[in-house]
Amino acid sequence: MSKPDSTKRQPVTGTGRFISGVVEGFYGRPWTMEQRTELFKREQKWGLNAYLYAPKDDYKHRMYWRDLYAAEEAEQLTSLISAAKRHDVEFIYAISPGLDITFSNPKEVAALKRKLDQVKEFGCRSFSLLFDDIETEMCPADKQAFSSFAHAQVAITNEVYMHLGEPEVFLFCPTDYCAVFCTPSVTQSSYLNTVGEKLLPGIDVLWTGPKVVSHKISVESIEEVSSVLKRAPVIWDNIHANDYDPQRLFLGPYKDRPTDLIPKLKGVLTNPNCEFYPNFVAIHTLATWCKAPAEGAPRDVEMGDEEQDPCYSPQKALNLALTDWLEEFMSTDQPGGPCHPRLKKESSEEEPMQTDMGESPYVPGPGENPLYTAEPLTLDDLKLLSDLFYLPYEHGTTARTMLQELDWLKNQSQAAAAETDKTAEWCSRAQQFDNMCEAVVQMFNRLSNAPNRSILYDLYNYICDIKSGVGLARAYVKTLGGHSQPSAQLLNDDPEPWGFRGGLSGEFQRMLPGHGNRDLFRHPPMTAVYCIRPYCPEDKPEVERIFREMQKAGEGNSALMAQSPLISDSLSAGEIPPSPLCGLILEDDLGLCGYALALTDAKPAAVKIQRAVSGSVFEEFPSVIALEMLPRVTDPSPAKRMIGQLLSSIRSSGSRGAFCELRQSNRRMLDFYSKLGSFKLVQMDGLPQDILVMATSL
């Protein structure tokens, strides 16, 4: 197994070595001291050389930047800086005073120097001043002292830099730290030009690229900003950052940055996922990128590689990282602890540790359940995991395929309901989609049983979420194909909470006009628009088609005549027309998708199927209702509105009440009528055992 070679020489740009490593610069819970120490070990192993300490929610880094560290905090930082040195990692301490500093006040400058002097006493020799994500309006006192915001920042940065003895590594993060922030452009930005002209040449500038989270960073864009800054920038790369969306994690490779950039830069620092352990791929692939051969080396990419970079293949780098990550997954994270005692593996040189040596392991007897044995995690599982949680601007291959297949199956669902030239293709692709969904479930199961629980716990919320989402899509496709009863969850305004995603934030997004338009898989907004209109005789064939389709879905594999007829069947089948003003049609963008019909006098339809019409039911509830929705109608609101209008029309005809007959297997409609609240179960003489009657008084 090959690994990034830490013995290779670091690329050099100008004076000093190329800065490569990690910036802990995200919003959210900072990493622990133990995790940072582990990071230093990995950086040394993979050939990276720097760590920028800048956790946004360490309050003494940003909010309370003036406060000195207490004794316990000082001890921790001192130990951390020492650990970085032991692993040949440059510890760069960053401070972010821009929220409330008064640049023109000497006491403020003195407080900043005092804080950095304290950190210098801990053994730190590299520093950074950050002025990102702050208001650009200066206070009145600063406006009197400085001609611009840039002049104020540069003045204090230069003074601190000189005070600290001109450290070899000193980084400055501008407020306009990406091209999109520059007004009117990078080359014409007065802020950036001031920084380039006035900032001392020994100070390096951090830059995120064209955007805060840059899809691609080109050589041309770096040459442009370098000409303005009068120095090569250090890239603060947010390509793997996930602090802006708690439902996203990025496990794809470092990509869309050509290795031709390396001679044009002073360094690259990745600001990765908030969760520490899933950053294995982000940091590992960055290390591979940094070690790319010099220009003119033999091509190391497949012909199909999108990048066509002669020195670096993102896919090869990803495979290398995942192969190494699998080893970490399969090692226990408990010091001295055993691997899973019942995890299947091809060979083992050690016997699993026994917690009670006085008792023999349990062995199931004849006819008893076998012991559960966990399947081992595979490299294919990690490749699938990476595909599902790839990068901000693209899904992995498998994820794209699943979205494309679901879209096709949904749009071609007519082929599943009736024999067409696409029916066989639909069924085949539905099975392939189901297989992909099953692979996600099995990946989840094997991840859940991996010995290294620390990695699992960082991943758990994400893999639970994708497993649930895939499960909903899988059930929907099965329903479209008639392989299962239409789920009651699909026509229910009181579903289980896992049936709707995203909480309040998700609801806000779904209410916005362009919801869905910025999805990585381009697709129209997901909010369906329905039209309810009166029934007309021309609708008869489509109504009958829906009736037969849902009847077929309800019967499963049993013969058509095995089902007992309902009084409303003749109404749905078009054998008896609905009463005047007692027919409604539901349409969506694909066409007719539901109906609600009624007979104000149900007795003729009952006689037609030889059902007894005597008794109190027909006296109290003389009218019958037929309601049906195709499975693609997942919103119960249109059905509720049609029922309301229909009952109003029946009441206007003078009827005392209405009923509907439902087969016990039709859980979807039983659940719908039950949730309405006005319909109750009633007894009817001579009713077949598989039929229930629900009725409402008017």
Side-chain angles (χ1 to χ4, degrees):
M1 179 191 310
S2 63
K3 300 180 183 292
D5 184 2
S6 61
T7 63
K8 290 185 179 178
R9 182 175 61 88
Q10 286 282 359
V12 175
T13 57
T15 59
R17 63 177 179 171
F18 186 86
I19 298 170
S20 62
V22 177
V23 49
E24 184 183 345
F26 49 81
Y27 292 87
R29 176 183 293 178
W31 295 334
T32 66
M33 294 296 177
E34 292 76 14
Q35 289 171 334
R36 291 164 181 154
T37 302
E38 178 61 30
L39 171 65
F40 302 154
K41 295 177 182 177
R42 294 180 181 185
E43 289 195 86
Q44 182 182 39
K45 180 179 181 180
W46 298 336
L48 299 173
N49 60 34
Y51 164 74
L52 177 57
Y53 178 88
K56 291 290 193 293
D57 288 304
D58 174 349
Y59 65 85
K60 288 190 177 179
H61 156 77
R62 185 174 172 87
M63 187 176 297
Y64 300 115
W65 60 269
R66 299 172 185 84
D67 293 0
L68 296 177
Y69 288 105
E72 183 178 355
E73 296 167 325
E75 184 180 351
Q76 288 182 327
L77 272 175
T78 301
S79 297
L80 195 63
I81 293 167
S82 297
K85 288 180 180 177
R86 285 197 304 274
H87 295 286
D88 297 323
V89 172
E90 192 67 35
F91 186 99
I92 308 169
Y93 177 84
I95 192 166
S96 185
L99 288 177
D100 61 358
I101 189 172
T102 300
F103 293 93
S104 56
N105 187 336
K107 292 183 179 179
E108 292 281 77
V109 180
L112 184 57
K113 292 177 180 177
R114 182 169 62 251
K115 178 67 168 286
L116 294 178
D117 282 341
Q118 184 194 30
V119 177
K120 190 175 182 180
E121 291 175 1
F122 301 160
C124 184
R125 60 186 181 185
S126 299
F127 299 90
S128 178
L129 275 183
L130 309 182
F131 294 103
D132 57 320
D133 301 345
I134 59 174
E135 295 294 330
T136 58
E137 185 68 21
M138 287 194 293
C139 66
D142 287 342
K143 286 181 179 179
Q144 290 183 356
F146 300 103
S147 58
S148 72
F149 200 37
H151 282 91
Q153 292 179 1
V154 167
I156 199 170
T157 301
N158 286 343
E159 185 173 344
V160 168
Y161 172 69
M162 297 294 291
H163 171 78
L164 292 172
E166 301 183 25
E168 183 179 348
V169 177
F170 194 94
L171 308 178
F172 167 81
C173 183
T175 304
D176 294 355
Y177 55 78
C178 62
V180 75
F181 286 176
C182 297
T183 305
S185 65
V186 170
T187 55
Q188 295 178 297
S189 165
S190 60
Y191 174 93
L192 223 55
N193 275 284
T194 299
V195 170
E197 292 168 4
K198 302 297 184 182
L199 197 67
L200 291 173
I203 301 173
D204 292 311
V205 179
L206 292 162
W207 183 252
T208 66
K211 299 166 63 178
V212 177
V213 180
S214 294
H215 184 184
K216 299 180 180 182
I217 300 178
S218 68
V219 170
E220 293 75 19
S221 71
I222 293 302
E223 290 176 339
E224 179 183 55
V225 72
S226 297
S227 67
V228 177
L229 294 175
K230 297 178 170 40
R231 70 204 77 200
V234 175
I235 294 297
W236 171 313
D237 208 326
N238 289 318
I239 192 62
H240 286 95
N242 72 335
D243 54 355
Y244 54 85
D245 188 343
Q247 288 186 298
R248 302 179 74 185
L249 185 75
F250 301 115
L251 305 177
Y254 192 75
K255 70 189 296 280
D256 294 314
R257 287 96 170 102
T259 53
D260 290 345
L261 283 172
I262 292 176
K264 308 285 185 180
L265 297 171
K266 185 61 186 291
V268 177
L269 298 169
T270 181
N271 179 37
N273 299 282
C274 299
E275 297 81 5
F276 175 76
Y277 292 102
N279 286 319
F280 193 101
V281 172
I283 301 169
H284 194 293
T285 56
L286 172 64
T288 302
W289 183 87
C290 289
K291 298 298 183 302
E295 187 176 355
R299 176 172 292 274
D300 186 35
V301 296
E302 300 88 348
M303 292 301 294
D305 199 305
E306 292 179 3
E307 300 296 320
Q308 293 300 304
D309 189 322
C311 301
Y312 174 75
S313 164
Q315 191 56 52
K316 282 188 175 181
L318 177 62
N319 290 339
L320 176 66
L322 293 177
T323 301
D324 288 355
W325 200 22
L326 181 61
E327 286 188 10
E328 185 167 298
F329 260 106
M330 301 310 291
S331 64
T332 179
D333 58 345
Q334 304 301 318
C339 290
H340 253 288
R342 294 210 305 274
L343 184 67
K344 286 183 180 177
K345 46 188 176 180
E346 295 183 5
S347 64
S348 174
E349 296 179 0
E350 296 182 5
E351 290 295 323
M353 181 185 294
Q354 299 296 324
T355 57
D356 186 350
M357 299 304 291
E359 183 177 340
S360 299
Y362 172 73
V363 178
E368 295 181 343
N369 283 326
L371 288 175
Y372 175 77
T373 304
E375 292 287 339
L377 191 67
T378 68
L379 183 59
D380 284 341
D381 289 326
L382 294 188
K383 289 179 179 178
L384 175 57
L385 179 68
S386 175
D387 267 2
L388 299 179
F389 299 96
Y390 202 63
L391 290 171
Y393 295 98
E394 65 178 303
H395 295 304
T397 303
T398 302
R400 290 198 305 271
T401 301
M402 293 183 76
L403 288 169
Q404 291 164 358
E405 289 302 293
L406 178 59
D407 184 59
W408 187 90
L409 291 166
K410 179 182 175 183
N411 292 332
Q412 302 295 329
S413 59
Q414 303 278 7
E419 289 292 332
T420 70
D421 56 350
K422 287 189 175 181
T423 299
E425 181 186 3
W426 195 97
C427 293
S428 174
R429 291 175 72 164
Q431 184 58 53
Q432 292 173 14
F433 181 78
D434 191 75
N435 292 342
M436 287 187 283
C437 293
E438 178 62 20
V440 174
V441 174
Q442 293 305 318
M443 175 205 71
F444 172 87
N445 292 339
R446 287 190 282 265
L447 277 170
S448 299
N449 290 312
N452 195 313
R453 312 309 285 172
S454 295
I455 307 177
L456 171 67
Y457 298 150
D458 271 0
L459 291 171
Y460 201 77
N461 287 343
Y462 298 102
I463 61 177
C464 277
D465 186 62
I466 193 63
K467 174 174 171 278
S468 180
V470 164
L472 291 171
R474 188 182 194 185
Y476 177 66
V477 169
K478 286 187 175 182
T479 299
L480 290 179
H483 299 302
S484 63
Q485 282 291 321
S487 171
Q489 291 286 339
L490 296 179
L491 195 64
N492 186 357
D493 57 4
D494 185 27
E496 293 284 0
W498 55 79
F500 50 93
R501 318 295 293 170
L504 179 61
S505 175
E507 293 194 39
F508 278 130
Q509 293 177 49
R510 287 189 288 273
M511 291 178 69
L512 300 179
H515 171 64
N517 286 345
R518 297 304 300 165
D519 288 347
L520 300 186
F521 177 71
R522 303 302 184 200
H523 197 273
M526 298 302 294
T527 303
V529 178
Y530 297 101
C531 172
I532 298 173
R533 62 169 176 81
Y535 170 88
C536 60
E538 290 76 15
D539 294 319
K540 177 181 172 181
E542 281 296 290
V543 168
E544 182 179 0
R545 181 188 63 79
I546 292 177
F547 166 62
R548 299 299 181 195
E549 179 178 334
M550 299 307 294
Q551 188 180 47
K552 181 179 179 181
E555 72 187 2
N557 296 322
S558 61
L560 180 62
M561 297 305 296
Q563 291 186 334
S564 303
L566 305 179
I567 293 175
S568 60
D569 283 355
S570 57
L571 186 60
S572 297
E575 298 169 4
I576 300 178
S579 299
L581 303 178
C582 289
L584 295 169
I585 294 297
L586 183 68
E587 292 178 318
D588 62 9
D589 56 349
L590 298 179
L592 202 150
C593 57
Y595 62 84
L597 310 175
L599 292 171
T600 54
D601 182 4
K603 289 182 180 179
V607 170
K608 188 175 180 64
I609 61 169
Q610 300 179 346
R611 189 78 64 78
V613 296
S614 60
S616 61
V617 171
F618 285 93
E619 296 297 327
E620 294 183 44
F621 312 105
S623 305
V624 65
I625 291 172
L627 173 71
E628 200 58 83
M629 303 285 129
L630 287 175
R632 70 173 185 257
V633 181
T634 59
D635 183 354
S637 300
K640 292 169 71 174
R641 181 165 294 185
M642 287 200 297
I643 284 292
Q645 293 182 24
L646 200 60
L647 292 177
S648 179
S649 296
I650 295 171
R651 186 187 301 110
S652 298
S653 73
S655 175
R656 299 173 56 191
F659 72 92
C660 63
E661 288 186 324
L662 302 168
R663 294 184 175 86
Q664 293 192 32
S665 58
N666 191 352
R667 302 304 308 172
R668 186 183 192 224
M669 296 313 297
L670 280 169
D671 186 79
F672 171 74
Y673 279 108
S674 298
K675 295 288 173 59
L676 284 177
S678 57
F679 280 79
K680 307 297 181 185
L681 285 171
V682 297
Q683 299 297 320
M684 181 181 287
D685 295 336
L687 199 65
Q689 291 185 350
D690 63 331
I691 295 176
L692 300 173
V693 175
M694 300 190 74
T696 183
S697 298
L698 301 175

